[in-house]
C-alpha cells in the first residue's frame, strides 16, 4: 500500500536570477604590486598574466573589477582580501557593488 500525493504547481511562479555583484580592489599606494598579484591569483583564481593586467589597472585607475559573483561569494571574497591583507600588514581594500 503506497501513499500517493498530488501536488499542484503554480504556473505563474516567476523565477529570477540572483543579483550579481562586482568585486573591486582599490589602490592604496602602500600594498606592493607583488602582493596584489598574489591576491588576484590566490583569491580570484586569475592567471599571473591576467593578475598583472588587473594590478596595473588598479594602480593606474584607482580601482578595477576582479570578478562578478553572487552576493554570498562576493562578500566572502571581500573578507578574504581583508583578512589576508591584514595578516601581511597591508591596507589593501576590496569592495563590492551591485552590477
Amino acid at each position: 500500500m503506497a501513499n500517493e500525493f498530488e501536488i499542484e504547481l503554480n504556473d505563474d511562479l516567476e523565477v529570477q536570477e540572483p543579483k550579481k555583484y562586482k568585486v573591486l580592489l582599490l589602490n592604496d599606494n602602500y600594498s606592493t604590486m607583488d602582493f596584489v598579484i598574489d591576491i588576484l591569483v590566490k583569491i580570484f583564481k586569475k592567471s599571473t598574466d591576467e593578475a598583472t593586467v588587473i594590478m596595473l589597472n588598479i594602480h593606474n585607475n584607482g580601482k578595477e573589477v576582479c570578478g562578478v559573483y553572487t552576493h554570498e561569494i562576493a562578500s566572502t571574497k571581500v573578507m578574504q582580501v581583508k583578512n589576508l591583507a591584514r595578516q601581511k600588514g597591508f591596507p589593501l581594500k576590496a569592495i563590492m557593488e551591485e552590477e
Side-chain angles (χ1 to χ4, degrees), residues 69-80:
Y69 310 95
T70 60
H71 185 273
E72 292 79 13
I73 294 172
S75 61
T76 299
K77 300 249 183 225
V78 168
M79 288 305 296
Q80 288 174 326

Side-chain angles (χ1 to χ4, degrees), residues 7-15:
I7 300 173
E8 184 176 323
L9 298 176
N10 184 352
D11 292 334
D12 297 333
L13 183 65
E14 188 174 319
V15 178

Side-chain angles (χ1 to χ4, degrees), residues 51-96:
T52 302
V53 169
I54 293 170
M55 177 276 300
L56 289 172
N57 287 337
I58 295 166
H59 179 72
N60 293 324
N61 303 323
K63 64 182 177 180
E64 182 63 37
V65 175
C66 303
V68 179
Y69 310 95
T70 60
H71 185 273
E72 292 79 13
I73 294 172
S75 61
T76 299
K77 300 249 183 225
V78 168
M79 288 305 296
Q80 288 174 326
V81 169
K82 179 182 175 183
N83 291 338
L84 194 53
R86 297 308 170 263
Q87 287 175 9
K88 300 294 183 178
F90 292 112
L92 184 65
K93 218 176 189 185
I95 61 171
M96 55 190 267

